Amino acid sequence: QVQLVESGGGLVQPGGSLRLSCAISGIDFAIYGPGWYRQAPGKEREFVARISSGESTNYAQSVKGRFTISRDNAKNTVYLQMNSLKPEDTGVYYCTISSYGRAYWGQGTQVTVSS
């Protein structure tokens, strides 16, 4: 079955950086476009970034210029490099990939930006 396992979250001060990883198995990773979403306390889950099979990327306006999504097809892994972090970036970050109209999600990793 399809499995997504995120890692790399933690506590960081404002202005700091974190790199999230998501290892995906059970699917032909190279032909799909995985993405990242996040959910802050008391808010809806929101789109963060996505990378296509051809490595085209798109980002939420709130993270453009600060976050970078990338992929390593040899490792079936998608990354999210987060720089210049702000307190409003705090939340649970989820990795996702869709196949044949079904979306698969990881368990999430907590990111807390606080001094």
Side-chain angles (χ1 to χ4, degrees), residues 71-110:
R71 63 189 297 160
D72 184 337
N73 289 345
K75 295 182 179 180
N76 285 9
T77 300
V78 60
Y79 303 98
L80 187 67
Q81 177 67 43
M82 306 186 294
N83 299 328
S84 303
L85 283 161
K86 304 175 182 180
E88 51 264 43
D89 294 317
T90 293
V92 179
Y93 282 68
Y94 298 91
C95 175
T96 184
I97 195 165
S98 295
S99 172
Y100 294 102
R102 177 177 175 178
Y104 299 89
W105 297 86
Q107 81 288 349
T109 185
Q110 177 70 44

PDB file of all heavy atoms in Angstrom, residues 71-110:
ATOM      1  N   ARG A  71      12.701  17.230  -5.148  1.00  0.00           N
ATOM      2  CA  ARG A  71      12.449  15.799  -5.108  1.00  0.00           C
ATOM      3  C   ARG A  71      13.694  15.035  -5.519  1.00  0.00           C
ATOM      4  O   ARG A  71      14.518  15.529  -6.289  1.00  0.00           O
ATOM      5  CB  ARG A  71      11.283  15.431  -6.031  1.00  0.00           C
ATOM      6  CG  ARG A  71      11.523  15.722  -7.506  1.00  0.00           C
ATOM      7  CD  ARG A  71      10.245  15.544  -8.314  1.00  0.00           C
ATOM      8  NE  ARG A  71       9.760  14.168  -8.276  1.00  0.00           N
ATOM      9  CZ  ARG A  71       8.516  13.800  -8.545  1.00  0.00           C
ATOM     10  NH1 ARG A  71       7.614  14.715  -8.856  1.00  0.00           N
ATOM     11  NH2 ARG A  71       8.181  12.532  -8.506  1.00  0.00           N
ATOM     12  N   ASP A  72      13.802  13.803  -5.009  1.00  0.00           N
ATOM     13  CA  ASP A  72      14.874  12.889  -5.384  1.00  0.00           C
ATOM     14  C   ASP A  72      14.202  11.577  -5.776  1.00  0.00           C
ATOM     15  O   ASP A  72      13.789  10.801  -4.908  1.00  0.00           O
ATOM     16  CB  ASP A  72      15.836  12.680  -4.209  1.00  0.00           C
ATOM     17  CG  ASP A  72      17.036  11.817  -4.574  1.00  0.00           C
ATOM     18  OD1 ASP A  72      16.940  11.037  -5.538  1.00  0.00           O
ATOM     19  OD2 ASP A  72      18.054  11.910  -3.887  1.00  0.00           O
ATOM     20  N   ASN A  73      14.077  11.346  -7.080  1.00  0.00           N
ATOM     21  CA  ASN A  73      13.371  10.154  -7.544  1.00  0.00           C
ATOM     22  C   ASN A  73      14.105   8.861  -7.190  1.00  0.00           C
ATOM     23  O   ASN A  73      13.475   7.815  -7.039  1.00  0.00           O
ATOM     24  CB  ASN A  73      13.152  10.226  -9.053  1.00  0.00           C
ATOM     25  CG  ASN A  73      12.119  11.278  -9.442  1.00  0.00           C
ATOM     26  OD1 ASN A  73      11.362  11.770  -8.594  1.00  0.00           O
ATOM     27  ND2 ASN A  73      12.099  11.637 -10.702  1.00  0.00           N
ATOM     28  N   ALA A  74      15.420   8.934  -7.052  1.00  0.00           N
ATOM     29  CA  ALA A  74      16.188   7.737  -6.677  1.00  0.00           C
ATOM     30  C   ALA A  74      15.861   7.299  -5.253  1.00  0.00           C
ATOM     31  O   ALA A  74      15.968   6.118  -4.918  1.00  0.00           O
ATOM     32  CB  ALA A  74      17.678   8.008  -6.816  1.00  0.00           C
ATOM     33  N   LYS A  75      15.456   8.262  -4.423  1.00  0.00           N
ATOM     34  CA  LYS A  75      15.145   7.952  -3.016  1.00  0.00           C
ATOM     35  C   LYS A  75      13.646   7.981  -2.741  1.00  0.00           C
ATOM     36  O   LYS A  75      13.230   7.808  -1.589  1.00  0.00           O
ATOM     37  CB  LYS A  75      15.846   8.949  -2.102  1.00  0.00           C
ATOM     38  CG  LYS A  75      17.357   8.861  -2.154  1.00  0.00           C
ATOM     39  CD  LYS A  75      17.993   9.842  -1.181  1.00  0.00           C
ATOM     40  CE  LYS A  75      19.513   9.733  -1.227  1.00  0.00           C
ATOM     41  NZ  LYS A  75      20.166  10.683  -0.296  1.00  0.00           N
ATOM     42  N   ASN A  76      12.834   8.226  -3.783  1.00  0.00           N
ATOM     43  CA  ASN A  76      11.376   8.332  -3.593  1.00  0.00           C
ATOM     44  C   ASN A  76      11.038   9.308  -2.466  1.00  0.00           C
ATOM     45  O   ASN A  76      10.189   9.029  -1.612  1.00  0.00           O
ATOM     46  CB  ASN A  76      10.758   6.961  -3.292  1.00  0.00           C
ATOM     47  CG  ASN A  76      10.655   6.079  -4.521  1.00  0.00           C
ATOM     48  OD1 ASN A  76      11.187   6.420  -5.577  1.00  0.00           O
ATOM     49  ND2 ASN A  76       9.999   4.956  -4.392  1.00  0.00           N
ATOM     50  N   THR A  77      11.694  10.447  -2.485  1.00  0.00           N
ATOM     51  CA  THR A  77      11.573  11.398  -1.386  1.00  0.00           C
ATOM     52  C   THR A  77      11.327  12.807  -1.928  1.00  0.00           C
ATOM     53  O   THR A  77      11.921  13.208  -2.925  1.00  0.00           O
ATOM     54  CB  THR A  77      12.828  11.381  -0.512  1.00  0.00           C
ATOM     55  OG1 THR A  77      12.997  10.064   0.037  1.00  0.00           O
ATOM     56  CG2 THR A  77      12.722  12.381   0.634  1.00  0.00           C
ATOM     57  N   VAL A  78      10.451  13.527  -1.245  1.00  0.00           N
ATOM     58  CA  VAL A  78      10.213  14.939  -1.542  1.00  0.00           C
ATOM     59  C   VAL A  78      10.621  15.750  -0.315  1.00  0.00           C
ATOM     60  O   VAL A  78      10.448  15.298   0.829  1.00  0.00           O
ATOM     61  CB  VAL A  78       8.737  15.191  -1.927  1.00  0.00           C
ATOM     62  CG1 VAL A  78       7.784  14.795  -0.818  1.00  0.00           C
ATOM     63  CG2 VAL A  78       8.513  16.641  -2.333  1.00  0.00           C
ATOM     64  N   TYR A  79      11.203  16.922  -0.565  1.00  0.00           N
ATOM     65  CA  TYR A  79      11.735  17.766   0.503  1.00  0.00           C
ATOM     66  C   TYR A  79      11.044  19.127   0.498  1.00  0.00           C
ATOM     67  O   TYR A  79      10.529  19.581  -0.523  1.00  0.00           O
ATOM     68  CB  TYR A  79      13.237  17.983   0.302  1.00  0.00           C
ATOM     69  CG  TYR A  79      14.040  16.707   0.237  1.00  0.00           C
ATOM     70  CD1 TYR A  79      14.402  16.166  -0.999  1.00  0.00           C
ATOM     71  CD2 TYR A  79      14.435  16.043   1.393  1.00  0.00           C
ATOM     72  CE1 TYR A  79      15.143  14.997  -1.083  1.00  0.00           C
ATOM     73  CE2 TYR A  79      15.174  14.868   1.320  1.00  0.00           C
ATOM     74  CZ  TYR A  79      15.523  14.354   0.083  1.00  0.00           C
ATOM     75  OH  TYR A  79      16.254  13.193   0.011  1.00  0.00           O
ATOM     76  N   LEU A  80      11.084  19.765   1.658  1.00  0.00           N
ATOM     77  CA  LEU A  80      10.637  21.152   1.764  1.00  0.00           C
ATOM     78  C   LEU A  80      11.666  21.902   2.597  1.00  0.00           C
ATOM     79  O   LEU A  80      11.751  21.694   3.813  1.00  0.00           O
ATOM     80  CB  LEU A  80       9.252  21.245   2.403  1.00  0.00           C
ATOM     81  CG  LEU A  80       8.634  22.648   2.402  1.00  0.00           C
ATOM     82  CD1 LEU A  80       8.307  23.084   0.961  1.00  0.00           C
ATOM     83  CD2 LEU A  80       7.380  22.700   3.265  1.00  0.00           C
ATOM     84  N   GLN A  81      12.456  22.726   1.925  1.00  0.00           N
ATOM     85  CA  GLN A  81      13.430  23.576   2.618  1.00  0.00           C
ATOM     86  C   GLN A  81      12.723  24.863   3.008  1.00  0.00           C
ATOM     87  O   GLN A  81      12.184  25.571   2.143  1.00  0.00           O
ATOM     88  CB  GLN A  81      14.619  23.884   1.702  1.00  0.00           C
ATOM     89  CG  GLN A  81      15.639  24.820   2.323  1.00  0.00           C
ATOM     90  CD  GLN A  81      16.363  24.206   3.506  1.00  0.00           C
ATOM     91  OE1 GLN A  81      16.765  23.040   3.456  1.00  0.00           O
ATOM     92  NE2 GLN A  81      16.537  24.970   4.569  1.00  0.00           N
ATOM     93  N   MET A  82      12.711  25.153   4.308  1.00  0.00           N
ATOM     94  CA  MET A  82      12.006  26.315   4.818  1.00  0.00           C
ATOM     95  C   MET A  82      12.998  27.267   5.452  1.00  0.00           C
ATOM     96  O   MET A  82      13.667  26.906   6.440  1.00  0.00           O
ATOM     97  CB  MET A  82      10.951  25.881   5.848  1.00  0.00           C
ATOM     98  CG  MET A  82       9.994  24.818   5.320  1.00  0.00           C
ATOM     99  SD  MET A  82       8.670  24.432   6.463  1.00  0.00           S
ATOM    100  CE  MET A  82       9.585  23.681   7.794  1.00  0.00           C
ATOM    101  N   ASN A  83      13.122  28.458   4.881  1.00  0.00           N
ATOM    102  CA  ASN A  83      14.030  29.487   5.388  1.00  0.00           C
ATOM    103  C   ASN A  83      13.231  30.693   5.870  1.00  0.00           C
ATOM    104  O   ASN A  83      12.044  30.840   5.542  1.00  0.00           O
ATOM    105  CB  ASN A  83      14.998  29.915   4.297  1.00  0.00           C
ATOM    106  CG  ASN A  83      15.875  28.781   3.811  1.00  0.00           C
ATOM    107  OD1 ASN A  83      16.227  27.865   4.560  1.00  0.00           O
ATOM    108  ND2 ASN A  83      16.249  28.840   2.538  1.00  0.00           N
ATOM    109  N   SER A  84      13.888  31.540   6.624  1.00  0.00           N
ATOM    110  CA  SER A  84      13.267  32.771   7.138  1.00  0.00           C
ATOM    111  C   SER A  84      11.915  32.481   7.772  1.00  0.00           C
ATOM    112  O   SER A  84      10.920  33.154   7.490  1.00  0.00           O
ATOM    113  CB  SER A  84      13.112  33.795   6.006  1.00  0.00           C
ATOM    114  OG  SER A  84      14.353  34.088   5.405  1.00  0.00           O
ATOM    115  N   LEU A  85      11.895  31.497   8.615  1.00  0.00           N
ATOM    116  CA  LEU A  85      10.634  31.056   9.207  1.00  0.00           C
ATOM    117  C   LEU A  85      10.029  32.126  10.106  1.00  0.00           C
ATOM    118  O   LEU A  85      10.742  32.884  10.788  1.00  0.00           O
ATOM    119  CB  LEU A  85      10.837  29.757   9.986  1.00  0.00           C
ATOM    120  CG  LEU A  85      10.936  28.516   9.092  1.00  0.00           C
ATOM    121  CD1 LEU A  85      11.593  27.355   9.821  1.00  0.00           C
ATOM    122  CD2 LEU A  85       9.545  28.112   8.611  1.00  0.00           C
ATOM    123  N   LYS A  86       8.696  32.162  10.093  1.00  0.00           N
ATOM    124  CA  LYS A  86       7.928  33.133  10.866  1.00  0.00           C
ATOM    125  C   LYS A  86       7.008  32.384  11.830  1.00  0.00           C
ATOM    126  O   LYS A  86       6.642  31.234  11.566  1.00  0.00           O
ATOM    127  CB  LYS A  86       7.074  33.985   9.931  1.00  0.00           C
ATOM    128  CG  LYS A  86       7.840  34.695   8.837  1.00  0.00           C
ATOM    129  CD  LYS A  86       6.881  35.415   7.892  1.00  0.00           C
ATOM    130  CE  LYS A  86       7.633  36.097   6.757  1.00  0.00           C
ATOM    131  NZ  LYS A  86       6.708  36.800   5.838  1.00  0.00           N
ATOM    132  N   PRO A  87       6.588  33.039  12.908  1.00  0.00           N
ATOM    133  CA  PRO A  87       5.656  32.369  13.827  1.00  0.00           C
ATOM    134  C   PRO A  87       4.400  31.859  13.127  1.00  0.00           C
ATOM    135  O   PRO A  87       3.861  30.809  13.502  1.00  0.00           O
ATOM    136  CB  PRO A  87       5.329  33.464  14.841  1.00  0.00           C
ATOM    137  CG  PRO A  87       6.557  34.316  14.859  1.00  0.00           C
ATOM    138  CD  PRO A  87       7.044  34.323  13.432  1.00  0.00           C
ATOM    139  N   GLU A  88       3.944  32.553  12.094  1.00  0.00           N
ATOM    140  CA  GLU A  88       2.738  32.124  11.381  1.00  0.00           C
ATOM    141  C   GLU A  88       2.967  30.883  10.510  1.00  0.00           C
ATOM    142  O   GLU A  88       2.020  30.352   9.939  1.00  0.00           O
ATOM    143  CB  GLU A  88       2.169  33.262  10.525  1.00  0.00           C
ATOM    144  CG  GLU A  88       3.161  33.939   9.613  1.00  0.00           C
ATOM    145  CD  GLU A  88       3.741  35.207  10.209  1.00  0.00           C
ATOM    146  OE1 GLU A  88       4.090  35.210  11.423  1.00  0.00           O
ATOM    147  OE2 GLU A  88       3.876  36.192   9.458  1.00  0.00           O
ATOM    148  N   ASP A  89       4.200  30.419  10.415  1.00  0.00           N
ATOM    149  CA  ASP A  89       4.473  29.149   9.722  1.00  0.00           C
ATOM    150  C   ASP A  89       4.246  27.943  10.641  1.00  0.00           C
ATOM    151  O   ASP A  89       4.327  26.800  10.189  1.00  0.00           O
ATOM    152  CB  ASP A  89       5.910  29.111   9.207  1.00  0.00           C
ATOM    153  CG  ASP A  89       6.176  30.139   8.131  1.00  0.00           C
ATOM    154  OD1 ASP A  89       5.324  30.301   7.233  1.00  0.00           O
ATOM    155  OD2 ASP A  89       7.241  30.790   8.187  1.00  0.00           O
ATOM    156  N   THR A  90       3.964  28.204  11.898  1.00  0.00           N
ATOM    157  CA  THR A  90       3.729  27.115  12.856  1.00  0.00           C
ATOM    158  C   THR A  90       2.528  26.274  12.460  1.00  0.00           C
ATOM    159  O   THR A  90       1.488  26.812  12.054  1.00  0.00           O
ATOM    160  CB  THR A  90       3.499  27.702  14.264  1.00  0.00           C
ATOM    161  OG1 THR A  90       4.714  28.307  14.713  1.00  0.00           O
ATOM    162  CG2 THR A  90       3.079  26.635  15.253  1.00  0.00           C
ATOM    163  N   GLY A  91       2.683  24.963  12.570  1.00  0.00           N
ATOM    164  CA  GLY A  91       1.590  24.057  12.268  1.00  0.00           C
ATOM    165  C   GLY A  91       2.091  22.648  12.035  1.00  0.00           C
ATOM    166  O   GLY A  91       3.299  22.382  12.135  1.00  0.00           O
ATOM    167  N   VAL A  92       1.176  21.770  11.708  1.00  0.00           N
ATOM    168  CA  VAL A  92       1.533  20.407  11.315  1.00  0.00           C
ATOM    169  C   VAL A  92       1.643  20.371   9.798  1.00  0.00           C
ATOM    170  O   VAL A  92       0.716  20.795   9.098  1.00  0.00           O
ATOM    171  CB  VAL A  92       0.491  19.386  11.806  1.00  0.00           C
ATOM    172  CG1 VAL A  92       0.883  17.977  11.360  1.00  0.00           C
ATOM    173  CG2 VAL A  92       0.351  19.447  13.317  1.00  0.00           C
ATOM    174  N   TYR A  93       2.767  19.888   9.317  1.00  0.00           N
ATOM    175  CA  TYR A  93       3.029  19.842   7.884  1.00  0.00           C
ATOM    176  C   TYR A  93       2.809  18.409   7.383  1.00  0.00           C
ATOM    177  O   TYR A  93       3.351  17.452   7.942  1.00  0.00           O
ATOM    178  CB  TYR A  93       4.452  20.304   7.592  1.00  0.00           C
ATOM    179  CG  TYR A  93       4.590  21.801   7.654  1.00  0.00           C
ATOM    180  CD1 TYR A  93       4.459  22.483   8.859  1.00  0.00           C
ATOM    181  CD2 TYR A  93       4.814  22.557   6.503  1.00  0.00           C
ATOM    182  CE1 TYR A  93       4.547  23.867   8.921  1.00  0.00           C
ATOM    183  CE2 TYR A  93       4.915  23.936   6.546  1.00  0.00           C
ATOM    184  CZ  TYR A  93       4.777  24.584   7.757  1.00  0.00           C
ATOM    185  OH  TYR A  93       4.863  25.960   7.801  1.00  0.00           O
ATOM    186  N   TYR A  94       2.003  18.311   6.320  1.00  0.00           N
ATOM    187  CA  TYR A  94       1.642  17.028   5.754  1.00  0.00           C
ATOM    188  C   TYR A  94       2.157  16.899   4.320  1.00  0.00           C
ATOM    189  O   TYR A  94       2.034  17.826   3.523  1.00  0.00           O
ATOM    190  CB  TYR A  94       0.126  16.863   5.718  1.00  0.00           C
ATOM    191  CG  TYR A  94      -0.543  16.874   7.067  1.00  0.00           C
ATOM    192  CD1 TYR A  94      -1.016  18.051   7.627  1.00  0.00           C
ATOM    193  CD2 TYR A  94      -0.726  15.690   7.782  1.00  0.00           C
ATOM    194  CE1 TYR A  94      -1.641  18.059   8.864  1.00  0.00           C
ATOM    195  CE2 TYR A  94      -1.351  15.694   9.025  1.00  0.00           C
ATOM    196  CZ  TYR A  94      -1.807  16.880   9.546  1.00  0.00           C
ATOM    197  OH  TYR A  94      -2.429  16.884  10.769  1.00  0.00           O
ATOM    198  N   CYS A  95       2.662  15.738   4.016  1.00  0.00           N
ATOM    199  CA  CYS A  95       3.049  15.385   2.664  1.00  0.00           C
ATOM    200  C   CYS A  95       1.874  14.667   2.009  1.00  0.00           C
ATOM    201  O   CYS A  95       1.134  13.925   2.680  1.00  0.00           O
ATOM    202  CB  CYS A  95       4.264  14.462   2.748  1.00  0.00           C
ATOM    203  SG  CYS A  95       4.839  13.798   1.201  1.00  0.00           S
ATOM    204  N   THR A  96       1.685  14.874   0.702  1.00  0.00           N
ATOM    205  CA  THR A  96       0.581  14.234   0.005  1.00  0.00           C
ATOM    206  C   THR A  96       0.966  13.884  -1.423  1.00  0.00           C
ATOM    207  O   THR A  96       1.819  14.533  -2.033  1.00  0.00           O
ATOM    208  CB  THR A  96      -0.662  15.143  -0.003  1.00  0.00           C
ATOM    209  OG1 THR A  96      -1.763  14.459  -0.606  1.00  0.00           O
ATOM    210  CG2 THR A  96      -0.399  16.433  -0.758  1.00  0.00           C
ATOM    211  N   ILE A  97       0.346  12.832  -1.939  1.00  0.00           N
ATOM    212  CA  ILE A  97       0.514  12.445  -3.336  1.00  0.00           C
ATOM    213  C   ILE A  97      -0.796  11.819  -3.791  1.00  0.00           C
ATOM    214  O   ILE A  97      -1.479  11.145  -3.000  1.00  0.00           O
ATOM    215  CB  ILE A  97       1.713  11.483  -3.513  1.00  0.00           C
ATOM    216  CG1 ILE A  97       2.115  11.368  -4.975  1.00  0.00           C
ATOM    217  CG2 ILE A  97       1.436  10.119  -2.899  1.00  0.00           C
ATOM    218  CD1 ILE A  97       3.482  10.734  -5.187  1.00  0.00           C
ATOM    219  N   SER A  98      -1.169  12.056  -5.054  1.00  0.00           N
ATOM    220  CA  SER A  98      -2.438  11.553  -5.574  1.00  0.00           C
ATOM    221  C   SER A  98      -2.208  10.601  -6.728  1.00  0.00           C
ATOM    222  O   SER A  98      -1.323  10.817  -7.568  1.00  0.00           O
ATOM    223  CB  SER A  98      -3.322  12.709  -6.040  1.00  0.00           C
ATOM    224  OG  SER A  98      -3.697  13.519  -4.954  1.00  0.00           O
ATOM    225  N   SER A  99      -3.012   9.559  -6.772  1.00  0.00           N
ATOM    226  CA  SER A  99      -2.925   8.572  -7.836  1.00  0.00           C
ATOM    227  C   SER A  99      -4.324   8.066  -8.155  1.00  0.00           C
ATOM    228  O   SER A  99      -5.068   7.689  -7.238  1.00  0.00           O
ATOM    229  CB  SER A  99      -2.045   7.407  -7.380  1.00  0.00           C
ATOM    230  OG  SER A  99      -2.084   6.349  -8.306  1.00  0.00           O
ATOM    231  N   TYR A 100      -4.700   8.101  -9.448  1.00  0.00           N
ATOM    232  CA  TYR A 100      -6.020   7.631  -9.897  1.00  0.00           C
ATOM    233  C   TYR A 100      -7.134   8.264  -9.073  1.00  0.00           C
ATOM    234  O   TYR A 100      -8.076   7.583  -8.651  1.00  0.00           O
ATOM    235  CB  TYR A 100      -6.098   6.099  -9.829  1.00  0.00           C
ATOM    236  CG  TYR A 100      -5.166   5.415 -10.803  1.00  0.00           C
ATOM    237  CD1 TYR A 100      -3.963   4.871 -10.355  1.00  0.00           C
ATOM    238  CD2 TYR A 100      -5.483   5.342 -12.157  1.00  0.00           C
ATOM    239  CE1 TYR A 100      -3.095   4.256 -11.241  1.00  0.00           C
ATOM    240  CE2 TYR A 100      -4.618   4.735 -13.051  1.00  0.00           C
ATOM    241  CZ  TYR A 100      -3.420   4.192 -12.585  1.00  0.00           C
ATOM    242  OH  TYR A 100      -2.578   3.592 -13.466  1.00  0.00           O
ATOM    243  N   GLY A 101      -7.004   9.553  -8.832  1.00  0.00           N
ATOM    244  CA  GLY A 101      -8.054  10.299  -8.162  1.00  0.00           C
ATOM    245  C   GLY A 101      -8.116  10.145  -6.656  1.00  0.00           C
ATOM    246  O   GLY A 101      -9.007  10.698  -6.004  1.00  0.00           O
ATOM    247  N   ARG A 102      -7.183   9.416  -6.094  1.00  0.00           N
ATOM    248  CA  ARG A 102      -7.164   9.236  -4.645  1.00  0.00           C
ATOM    249  C   ARG A 102      -5.946   9.932  -4.075  1.00  0.00           C
ATOM    250  O   ARG A 102      -4.841   9.767  -4.582  1.00  0.00           O
ATOM    251  CB  ARG A 102      -7.146   7.755  -4.278  1.00  0.00           C
ATOM    252  CG  ARG A 102      -7.051   7.522  -2.772  1.00  0.00           C
ATOM    253  CD  ARG A 102      -7.102   6.065  -2.410  1.00  0.00           C
ATOM    254  NE  ARG A 102      -6.892   5.880  -0.985  1.00  0.00           N
ATOM    255  CZ  ARG A 102      -6.926   4.702  -0.365  1.00  0.00           C
ATOM    256  NH1 ARG A 102      -7.201   3.605  -1.053  1.00  0.00           N
ATOM    257  NH2 ARG A 102      -6.713   4.629   0.933  1.00  0.00           N
ATOM    258  N   ALA A 103      -6.168  10.694  -2.989  1.00  0.00           N
ATOM    259  CA  ALA A 103      -5.075  11.391  -2.315  1.00  0.00           C
ATOM    260  C   ALA A 103      -4.609  10.586  -1.112  1.00  0.00           C
ATOM    261  O   ALA A 103      -5.427  10.099  -0.327  1.00  0.00           O
ATOM    262  CB  ALA A 103      -5.526  12.776  -1.866  1.00  0.00           C
ATOM    263  N   TYR A 104      -3.300  10.480  -0.993  1.00  0.00           N
ATOM    264  CA  TYR A 104      -2.679   9.802   0.137  1.00  0.00           C
ATOM    265  C   TYR A 104      -1.946  10.845   0.964  1.00  0.00           C
ATOM    266  O   TYR A 104      -1.340  11.773   0.414  1.00  0.00           O
ATOM    267  CB  TYR A 104      -1.702   8.733  -0.341  1.00  0.00           C
ATOM    268  CG  TYR A 104      -2.347   7.642  -1.161  1.00  0.00           C
ATOM    269  CD1 TYR A 104      -2.461   7.769  -2.542  1.00  0.00           C
ATOM    270  CD2 TYR A 104      -2.845   6.483  -0.562  1.00  0.00           C
ATOM    271  CE1 TYR A 104      -3.055   6.772  -3.308  1.00  0.00           C
ATOM    272  CE2 TYR A 104      -3.436   5.488  -1.309  1.00  0.00           C
ATOM    273  CZ  TYR A 104      -3.548   5.642  -2.674  1.00  0.00           C
ATOM    274  OH  TYR A 104      -4.146   4.658  -3.435  1.00  0.00           O
ATOM    275  N   TRP A 105      -1.969  10.660   2.304  1.00  0.00           N
ATOM    276  CA  TRP A 105      -1.384  11.638   3.221  1.00  0.00           C
ATOM    277  C   TRP A 105      -0.477  10.951   4.230  1.00  0.00           C
ATOM    278  O   TRP A 105      -0.729   9.805   4.635  1.00  0.00           O
ATOM    279  CB  TRP A 105      -2.488  12.365   3.993  1.00  0.00           C
ATOM    280  CG  TRP A 105      -3.404  13.164   3.138  1.00  0.00           C
ATOM    281  CD1 TRP A 105      -4.516  12.728   2.485  1.00  0.00           C
ATOM    282  CD2 TRP A 105      -3.287  14.560   2.827  1.00  0.00           C
ATOM    283  NE1 TRP A 105      -5.098  13.761   1.789  1.00  0.00           N
ATOM    284  CE2 TRP A 105      -4.360  14.902   1.978  1.00  0.00           C
ATOM    285  CE3 TRP A 105      -2.367  15.556   3.181  1.00  0.00           C
ATOM    286  CZ2 TRP A 105      -4.536  16.193   1.487  1.00  0.00           C
ATOM    287  CZ3 TRP A 105      -2.553  16.838   2.685  1.00  0.00           C
ATOM    288  CH2 TRP A 105      -3.629  17.145   1.851  1.00  0.00           C
ATOM    289  N   GLY A 106       0.555  11.676   4.643  1.00  0.00           N
ATOM    290  CA  GLY A 106       1.377  11.210   5.736  1.00  0.00           C
ATOM    291  C   GLY A 106       0.742  11.562   7.071  1.00  0.00           C
ATOM    292  O   GLY A 106      -0.337  12.164   7.126  1.00  0.00           O
ATOM    293  N   GLN A 107       1.439  11.205   8.138  1.00  0.00           N
ATOM    294  CA  GLN A 107       0.898  11.436   9.480  1.00  0.00           C
ATOM    295  C   GLN A 107       1.151  12.861   9.968  1.00  0.00           C
ATOM    296  O   GLN A 107       0.556  13.290  10.954  1.00  0.00           O
ATOM    297  CB  GLN A 107       1.515  10.429  10.470  1.00  0.00           C
ATOM    298  CG  GLN A 107       2.898  10.796  10.988  1.00  0.00           C
ATOM    299  CD  GLN A 107       4.005  10.641   9.960  1.00  0.00           C
ATOM    300  OE1 GLN A 107       3.797  10.068   8.877  1.00  0.00           O
ATOM    301  NE2 GLN A 107       5.195  11.121  10.286  1.00  0.00           N
ATOM    302  N   GLY A 108       2.014  13.571   9.271  1.00  0.00           N
ATOM    303  CA  GLY A 108       2.309  14.952   9.629  1.00  0.00           C
ATOM    304  C   GLY A 108       3.512  15.084  10.539  1.00  0.00           C
ATOM    305  O   GLY A 108       3.852  14.164  11.289  1.00  0.00           O
ATOM    306  N   THR A 109       4.160  16.242  10.448  1.00  0.00           N
ATOM    307  CA  THR A 109       5.282  16.562  11.327  1.00  0.00           C
ATOM    308  C   THR A 109       5.095  17.989  11.843  1.00  0.00           C
ATOM    309  O   THR A 109       4.748  18.891  11.078  1.00  0.00           O
ATOM    310  CB  THR A 109       6.631  16.377  10.606  1.00  0.00           C
ATOM    311  OG1 THR A 109       7.712  16.581  11.521  1.00  0.00           O
ATOM    312  CG2 THR A 109       6.798  17.338   9.432  1.00  0.00           C
ATOM    313  N   GLN A 110       5.296  18.168  13.142  1.00  0.00           N
ATOM    314  CA  GLN A 110       5.038  19.466  13.780  1.00  0.00           C
ATOM    315  C   GLN A 110       6.201  20.421  13.550  1.00  0.00           C
ATOM    316  O   GLN A 110       7.362  20.072  13.770  1.00  0.00           O
ATOM    317  CB  GLN A 110       4.822  19.269  15.277  1.00  0.00           C
ATOM    318  CG  GLN A 110       4.625  20.560  16.061  1.00  0.00           C
ATOM    319  CD  GLN A 110       3.302  21.228  15.773  1.00  0.00           C
ATOM    320  OE1 GLN A 110       2.265  20.565  15.705  1.00  0.00           O
ATOM    321  NE2 GLN A 110       3.326  22.545  15.585  1.00  0.00           N
TER     322      GLN A 110
END
